[in-house]
DNA sequence: CGTCCAGTTGACTCACCTCAAACGTGGTGG
DNA sequence: CCACCACGTTTGAGGTGAGTCAACTGGACG
């Protein structure tokens, strides 16, 4: 068994490159406090690639990631997949408008999640909801908007650069990306193929911008170059 | 002056093709009741292509469309533009998490909007917010997710078909699309070029699926064929 | 040491983009 | 009322970025 990496997404650092996002940081909780989301059961474990809930399934509960990484995605009839978002420890997923989930959720790697109760926020339970919940929903909206821009108007190398910046963690030895996901996941998140992901990473390595220390760990040698690709 | 078309987006009808969306319909108000959004001033008029607010501008107020169509978009430094959404009469835009707008908003055609007050929902004014507001934010989130799927994993013809279904209005003579926007707007919404939009529409016309009655009006002759492209 | 599978690389293809020219419609002025 | 212009749109020809298909590599594991 290999050493377990604590995957995370260091928002404040990684987003330095996104001037337009800077003001979000101070706005509200991306990760709402526990007390407004009562747990609906014990912590659940899911092995890698296990389905947590399916698109169309009744959305009685939603979840908070305890450890590991979760992806939410949609499938087309011919098998094409679009990954909408990745969620790391502390983040909440599956909280949706309707009675059914719009996307499915799967474990990217072995992970643990805690189910949260939807009931207190259903239409039966009052006219108002906690402010934090609104901030949370709107943060999700903003994230989805960013993703749309990424998917619509960026080249492969710009997409990959954005992805690396999203996951870069600062260390004493520089910025490092520990990948919980496969090339396939990255491809379906960025709207590319695994071959293009691989070629683009190799290209960035040849250009001395990154270094592929292992297949799941990337060292960022020139973060400025990556940031310059974002505009 | 040409006759004014009342542009609209007949959600319930147009979305028939989207099985996965069906359950949204009964969920909550996409267009919140007036009383939870106090007007912050008189109705404003904007001529075609006029900026309503810019990306980065302080978001003191947001808006409700009275007539016409509004687009929200982002620009990249080299001029590439991604249109995030179009808003028609009754819809609300510009309500965002942070202190600044993440996208700019512009008038697609001559339009009128009413400013709404943000204050009552700021962090100063209490611990809870109206439930309707949460439903609204989450509806926006769901829409953005749909758009991500569209942009990431669909071909040009599938994108155009989805766009037409989104705007198709049922009439006694069949489904009709009245376009408030130029080919350029459509292209930037779908992540394509104007030439591809034009060619794809011509292709659909050759295939007897649509008919370009004028440059701004499209008759849908075979809506089933369009729906079959969605999965 | 062999198997397996994720990842990489190469050769080729194609969907969409780019550049350029032609078209058409609405508006303006003679 | 018609000629002309401007600009959005259409169409064509050619280029290219990313996809497809296929072979190879290399680390993990038995």
């Amino acid at each position: 068994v290999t050493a377990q990496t604590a995957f995370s997404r260091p928002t404040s650092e990684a987003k330095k490159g996104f001037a337009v996002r800077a003001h979000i940081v101070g706005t509200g909780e991306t990760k709402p406090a526990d007390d407004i989301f009562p747990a609906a059961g014990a912590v659940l474990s899911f092995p890698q690639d296990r389905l947590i809930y399916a698109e169309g399934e009744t959305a009685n509960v939603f979840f908070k990631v305890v450890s590991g990484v979760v992806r939410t995605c949609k499938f087309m009839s011919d098998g094409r997949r679009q990954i909408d978002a990745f969620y790391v420890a502390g983040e909440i997923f599956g909280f949706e408008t309707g009675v059914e989930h719009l996307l499915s959720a799967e474990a990217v790697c072995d992970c643990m999640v805690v189910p949260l109760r939807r009931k207190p926020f259903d239409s039966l339970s009052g006219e108002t909801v906690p402010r934090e919940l609104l901030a949370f929903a709107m943060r999700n909206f903003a994230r989805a908007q960013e993703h749309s821009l990424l998917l619509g108007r960026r080249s492969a190398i710009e997409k990959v650069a954005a992805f690396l910046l999203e996951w870069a963690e600062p260390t004493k030895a520089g910025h490092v990306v520990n990948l919980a996901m496969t090339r396939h996941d990255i491809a379906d998140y960025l709207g590319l193929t695994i071959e293009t992901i691989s070629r683009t990473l190799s290209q960035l390595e040849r250009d001395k911008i990154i270094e592929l220390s292992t297949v799941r760990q990337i060292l960022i040698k020139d973060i400025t170059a990556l940031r310059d690709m974002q505009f």
Side-chain angles (χ1 to χ4, degrees), chain A:
Chain A
V1 178
T2 49
Q4 191 67 23
T5 309
F7 299 107
S8 67
R9 178 160 33 201
T11 310
S12 56
E13 177 58 25
K15 297 303 182 257
K16 264 183 192 163
F18 295 81
V20 76
R21 266 193 170 181
H23 63 279
I24 299 180
V25 176
T27 297
E29 285 290 273
T30 302
K31 309 170 183 179
D34 289 334
D35 56 344
I36 72 159
F37 287 121
V43 171
L44 303 172
S45 287
F46 291 90
Q48 186 176 345
D49 291 328
R50 172 80 104 256
L51 186 72
I52 298 175
Y53 58 78
E55 184 180 329
E57 212 170 277
T58 308
N60 291 324
V61 295
F62 54 105
F63 301 90
K64 180 175 185 171
V65 180
V66 174
S67 68
V69 179
V70 171
R71 63 178 174 249
T72 52
C73 52
K74 275 203 165 187
F75 294 89
M76 297 178 65
S77 55
D78 59 1
R80 280 178 287 178
R81 180 180 70 162
Q82 175 66 47
I83 293 181
D84 190 73
F86 293 107
Y87 297 90
V88 300
E91 296 184 324
I92 284 167
F93 64 96
F95 187 73
E96 292 173 32
T97 329
V99 292
E100 292 172 13
H101 287 295
L102 290 171
L103 300 88
S104 30
E106 301 169 344
V108 169
C109 54
D110 292 355
C111 65
M112 304 202 312
V113 302
V114 56
L116 304 173
R117 198 170 299 282
R118 192 192 149 86
K119 281 268 165 53
F121 308 114
D122 277 355
S123 50
L124 308 161
S125 69
E127 285 305 301
T128 63
V129 295
R131 153 170 316 286
E132 242 170 345
L133 202 50
L134 176 65
F136 167 70
M138 287 172 60
R139 184 68 193 78
N140 279 340
F141 176 45
R143 226 202 244 189
Q145 282 180 337
E146 286 285 343
H147 200 204
S148 288
L149 178 64
L150 185 75
L151 292 171
R153 286 290 178 214
R154 296 185 120 96
S155 65
I157 198 167
E158 291 170 335
K159 288 178 177 180
V160 171
F163 179 81
L164 292 175
L165 288 172
E166 193 177 338
W167 291 89
E169 300 176 60
T171 70
K172 46 264 156 221
H175 292 264
V176 175
V177 179
N178 287 303
L179 295 172
M181 65 290 283
T182 64
R183 302 291 189 262
H184 197 83
D185 287 326
I186 301 173
D188 286 345
Y189 179 67
L190 298 178
L192 298 169
T193 59
I194 55 174
E195 293 95 332
T196 298
I197 300 297
S198 184
R199 270 188 262 269
T200 304
L201 288 174
S202 299
Q203 174 68 42
L204 288 170
E205 187 168 38
R206 271 196 301 280
D207 294 348
K208 312 264 187 257
I209 294 173
I210 64 171
E211 191 179 313
L212 300 166
S213 61
T214 77
V215 81
R216 291 296 182 96
Q217 176 164 21
I218 297 171
L219 307 179
I220 296 180
K221 300 174 72 177
D222 185 354
I223 200 163
T224 309
L226 290 182
R227 288 186 180 135
D228 287 347
M229 293 178 187
Q230 299 308 302
F231 305 95

